[in-house]
Amino acid sequence: MNRRHHAVTLQQATEESPTLARLAGLTRDSSERLRAVEPLIPPLLRPAIRPGPIEGTTWCLLVRSSAAAAKLRQLLPALQAHLRSRGWEVTAIRLKIQT
């Protein structure tokens, strides 16, 4: 059997694979969550934060420094409440410091 390999776009691969489709959906959801809470985050702190993985009702934020994480930790209750008010089931927000 002669098999030809051909390139596919990321969108095609995502549509054809349930696993990739699920990961793409989680990535989109995480980015949407960050956009929803950005107004609650001080403007100078925003560039230090990136959306991270979602595991059940726990959402992770990737933070550039421990100083930024310390400030963000103070805002977590407000961020969680805001997300819940917008329909997301978030029981915890984890912070992961990226070095």
Side-chain angles (χ1 to χ4, degrees), residues 8-15 20:
V8 295
T9 66
L10 180 58
Q11 182 177 356
Q12 287 171 323
T14 301
E15 290 170 355
L20 286 177

Side-chain angles (χ1 to χ4, degrees), residues 57-71:
T57 60
T58 300
W59 180 39
C60 179
L61 289 172
L62 308 174
V63 187
R64 285 192 191 152
S65 70
S66 56
K71 177 61 181 168

Side-chain angles (χ1 to χ4, degrees), residues 8-71:
V8 295
T9 66
L10 180 58
Q11 182 177 356
Q12 287 171 323
T14 301
E15 290 170 355
E16 294 172 6
S17 168
T19 302
L20 286 177
R22 183 176 173 278
L23 287 174
L26 288 172
T27 300
R28 236 181 346 269
D29 187 22
S30 186
S31 294
E32 289 171 8
R33 290 176 187 206
L34 183 56
R35 274 193 302 278
V37 298
E38 269 184 337
L40 303 175
I41 300 170
L44 294 176
L45 188 58
R46 292 175 194 166
I49 303 165
R50 292 191 348 242
I54 298 170
E55 298 170 1
T57 60
T58 300
W59 180 39
C60 179
L61 289 172
L62 308 174
V63 187
R64 285 192 191 152
S65 70
S66 56
K71 177 61 181 168

